[in-house]
Amino acid sequence: MATVGQDTTDTAARGAPLHRAERDLVALGILVAAILLFVGTGSTVLTGMARSWIYGVGKPDVLLTNALILNIALLLFGWRRYAELNSEIAERRKAEEHATRLARTDALTGCLNRRSLDEAIIALVDSAAESGGEVAVMMIDLDKFKRSNDLLGHKVGDAVLVETAQRIEALLPPRALLARLGGDEFICAAVVAPDSETVIEQLALQINDALAEPIHAFGLRAAVTASIGIAVGSRGVVPNAAHVSQDLLHRADLAMYQAKRRGRNRFAWFEPNMETELHFRSELEQGIREGLQRGEFVPYYEKQIDLETGELTGFEMLARWISPQYGLVSPEVFIPVAEEIGLIAELSEALIALALEDARTWDPRLTLSVNISPLQLRDPWFAQRLLKMLVAANFLPARLEIEITETCLHENIAVVRTLITSLKNQGICISLDDFGTGYSSLAQLRTLPFDRIKIDRSFVSSLGQSADSASIIEAISSLGRGMALPITAEGIETADVLAALRRFGQFKGQGYLYGQPASAEDVKRELAALGLLTSTAENAPAPDAPITDTATARRA
């Protein structure tokens, strides 16, 4: 029935213009006939009427007079219809222009849209070929726009996109084009003279600076930055203008992602090795997905030591990927990728479950620390799932320490506070990781119920070489004592650093001085040798006796 209805509608739509054309043809015939009739009868009738009125001779022919009056009426009708036709044609032309504009431009910002972008760049490429210039393309992507859009609302998000387009357009040279690809991606392109790298970079810097300025809309303040990828090419790169267009867009897109990986709010030029990186990135993403299903991700453990006594107090769980293709892969490689493709929560929880099973066999006085991704902090059900894992592993919550990086506090402080409170209510300890590298305030430390702060390894490892690092650690140590917060120092790699740390107070510490992170099997063998497994309880020390790694104590 839908098809029949559609056919009927189409037939009616086709019939309407035909009907109008027939009416217009009839009106045109009437107008032509009226003109001919007026020419044929007008002179005779008007001459007779003039003689009758002026000289009183004879009378005008009534029939011809009536015909002339009818003829005048027909002329007026024809003229009115002619005016209506002109008005209708003008309206149709305006509607067609509006429809064409809607089809070629973005409804929100007024920029070109994806449909018309290729054609516009092809025209630029042809123009550059004639003038001897090159086409420069910039791919502009707003950083973390989705998060801002979710927090402030879609009305503010739309206002940000409109203002972004206006700020970019104000900086572009004449005859440059600006397009919105959808979402928060923009493309600008222009013909430039050869060897114009400096000019292009200045424009990119100006765009970065302009977009970094806050945007005020509906009483709210939005702050976004942009990552920009730049590619330059001409017809000589590939066979024809259409291929040049696609090649430039592809290259600019690769460069834009490189700018994001370098820290965002910057620009990057396309380089040939980016193609290789893209291929590697694609393989890496596929490897992570398959490796997660095959159980290739495993926990490794780094010792945590009481610096004053040399006692082993616990371990921090670190993620490792044992890949058949790449070997042992560092988390610095795969964790950012897992976050971007949305697998970090599944990966993290799988590793936590394995770590809880491993740590269950350790001496009950040994703790387990695990890091939480900022993405997991946005999940309102994370605390409940973590509690289920603790119950399944029969692991005491008090032995688990969750580490939250300092930069997470600015994602959404209300959500972070709720999660921390929920975890604390379950008896889990909360540690503020990488302290000193973010923007946390004393008010946040006072209002959020942290149990420990961890000094970032960048300050600790340079302790013997940098006076600034020593000052920062001394300040953090004083802060910890004043707020009754224990402190852990990461990155202890030499005896000199250890000796310097001891001067600032009592710390827990971890680092390569106490050994490289080890697999679960290696940790289990070492703890078994020390009598620190629950399965060898008869060899375990008394409850109040120190848990000492003798090799560690000798190094300390």
Side-chain angles (χ1 to χ4, degrees):
M1 294 297 294
T3 304
V4 174
Q6 182 64 47
D7 292 342
T8 304
T9 303
D10 293 343
T11 302
R14 289 192 299 268
L18 182 60
H19 182 60
R20 285 195 298 269
E22 292 173 349
R23 287 188 292 127
D24 296 341
L25 185 61
V26 171
L28 180 61
I30 293 174
L31 180 61
V32 172
I35 293 173
L36 294 175
L37 183 61
F38 182 81
V39 172
T41 61
S43 58
T44 303
V45 174
L46 291 176
T47 301
M49 291 177 64
R51 288 177 179 177
S52 175
W53 292 342
I54 296 173
Y55 302 109
V57 178
K59 293 183 179 180
D61 189 294
V62 176
L63 182 62
L64 290 178
T65 302
N66 290 337
L68 179 63
I69 294 173
L70 177 61
N71 183 238
I72 293 173
L74 290 174
L75 285 174
L76 292 175
F77 169 77
W79 178 257
R80 178 182 177 184
R81 182 56 186 160
Y82 174 75
E84 289 177 350
L85 285 175
N86 281 341
S87 176
E88 185 176 348
I89 290 172
E91 289 295 328
R92 288 182 184 179
R93 185 177 292 113
K94 187 184 300 184
E96 289 173 358
E97 291 174 354
H98 181 65
T100 301
R101 186 167 59 253
L102 289 179
R104 294 180 55 83
T105 61
D106 175 58
L108 178 63
T109 62
C111 303
L112 297 177
N113 58 20
R114 182 183 293 273
R115 179 182 301 176
S116 57
L117 177 62
D118 283 339
E119 180 181 341
I121 294 183
I122 288 172
L124 286 181
V125 172
D126 289 335
S127 175
E130 295 175 358
S131 63
E134 295 180 320
V135 177
V137 172
M138 288 186 183
M139 175 79 73
I140 304 172
D141 186 86
L142 301 185
D143 300 324
K144 301 180 180 179
F145 173 75
K146 184 179 184 301
R147 186 180 311 166
S148 175
N149 197 36
D150 292 341
L151 290 175
L152 301 179
H154 294 288
K155 288 179 64 177
V156 176
D158 288 347
V160 168
L161 293 174
V162 172
E163 179 66 20
T164 296
Q166 293 174 351
R167 292 183 183 184
I168 296 174
E169 188 173 17
L171 296 171
L172 294 180
R175 294 183 296 279
L177 64 87
L178 176 63
R180 179 186 173 214
L181 298 187
D184 57 352
E185 282 190 334
F186 293 85
I187 286 285
C188 54
V191 176
V192 298
D195 302 321
S196 299
E197 288 82 1
T198 302
V199 176
I200 297 171
E201 288 184 355
Q202 289 176 348
L203 176 60
L205 287 172
Q206 290 174 347
I207 292 175
N208 272 132
D209 292 341
L211 297 186
E213 291 294 323
I215 297 173
H216 299 273
F218 303 101
L220 298 173
R221 178 179 180 274
V224 296
T225 57
S227 298
I228 303 175
I230 307 172
V232 176
S234 62
R235 185 183 291 275
V237 179
V238 286
N240 56 56
H243 289 164
V244 173
S245 170
Q246 293 298 320
D247 185 70
L248 285 172
L249 291 174
H250 174 65
R251 293 182 176 196
D253 192 45
L254 291 178
M256 183 270 292
Y257 279 109
Q258 185 65 30
K260 284 190 176 294
R261 286 195 289 270
R262 292 175 182 173
R264 297 183 171 90
N265 192 26
R266 65 192 66 212
F267 67 86
W269 285 87
F270 169 78
E271 298 172 2
N273 63 353
M274 291 180 182
E275 291 280 3
T276 304
E277 291 182 10
L278 178 66
H279 182 68
F280 173 73
R281 168 61 182 259
S282 178
E283 290 183 346
L284 198 62
E285 291 180 3
Q286 186 62 27
I288 291 173
R289 291 188 174 93
E290 295 176 355
L292 190 56
Q293 300 299 321
R294 293 194 292 253
E296 295 173 0
F297 293 91
V298 296
Y300 269 48
Y301 301 97
E302 184 175 23
K303 294 176 183 178
Q304 295 180 327
I305 305 296
D306 187 311
L307 300 189
E308 184 177 10
T309 64
E311 298 174 9
L312 177 65
T313 62
F315 295 88
E316 179 181 355
M317 187 270 286
L318 305 173
R320 293 293 185 269
W321 179 18
I322 304 178
S323 168
Q325 182 177 1
Y326 306 112
L328 185 63
V329 184
S330 169
E332 284 78 10
V333 175
F334 65 82
I335 283 184
V337 179
E339 288 180 336
E340 290 182 20
I341 63 178
L343 291 178
I344 189 61
E346 182 180 353
L347 173 60
S348 176
E349 291 177 20
L351 290 173
I352 291 174
L354 292 174
L356 291 175
E357 289 292 333
D358 293 336
R360 186 175 61 175
T361 64
W362 302 345
D363 188 285
R365 286 171 290 180
L366 296 177
T367 60
L368 172 67
S369 298
V370 297
N371 291 279
I372 298 301
S373 166
L375 297 177
Q376 291 175 277
L377 291 178
R378 304 176 202 163
D379 183 357
W381 300 104
F382 172 72
Q384 285 73 12
R385 290 203 301 275
L386 183 60
L387 180 60
K388 288 183 178 179
M389 285 189 283
L390 289 170
V391 172
N394 193 24
F395 194 85
L396 290 176
R399 294 182 60 197
L400 180 64
E401 184 174 292
I402 297 296
E403 298 185 6
I404 298 174
T405 58
E406 189 178 5
T407 52
C408 293
L409 301 183
H410 299 273
E411 300 289 334
N412 190 333
I413 189 64
V415 174
V416 173
R417 180 180 288 110
T418 300
L419 178 62
I420 291 177
T421 302
S422 178
L423 295 174
K424 287 280 292 182
N425 290 339
Q426 297 170 12
I428 298 170
C429 299
I430 308 296
S431 174
L432 181 58
D433 197 11
D434 297 339
F435 188 74
T437 60
Y439 310 94
S440 62
S441 64
L442 294 178
Q444 288 172 335
L445 283 178
R446 183 167 53 85
T447 57
L448 295 173
F450 289 109
D451 298 292
R452 176 176 295 276
I453 53 179
K454 298 186 71 175
I455 306 175
D456 186 69
R457 66 177 61 250
S458 61
F459 302 123
V460 176
S461 59
S462 61
L463 184 56
Q465 307 165 358
S466 171
D468 291 340
S469 294
S471 299
I472 292 172
I473 292 176
E474 182 178 10
I476 295 174
S477 177
S478 299
L479 177 65
R481 287 193 298 269
M483 301 186 69
L485 284 174
I487 299 174
T488 297
E490 298 181 286
I492 303 174
E493 299 180 358
T494 66
D496 292 339
V497 170
L498 175 60
L501 271 175
R502 283 175 168 168
R503 293 197 297 267
F504 294 111
Q506 296 182 355
F507 294 92
K508 280 173 61 174
Q510 60 188 85
Y512 295 163
L513 179 64
Y514 302 104
Q516 296 283 339
S519 66
E521 292 76 12
D522 291 339
V523 168
K524 187 174 182 179
R525 281 193 293 267
E526 184 173 359
L527 293 180
L530 295 171
L532 297 179
L533 292 179
T534 55
S535 58
T536 57
E538 64 274 12
N539 297 323
D544 295 330
I547 306 174
T548 305
D549 180 343
T550 54
T552 298
R554 283 197 300 271
R555 284 194 295 268

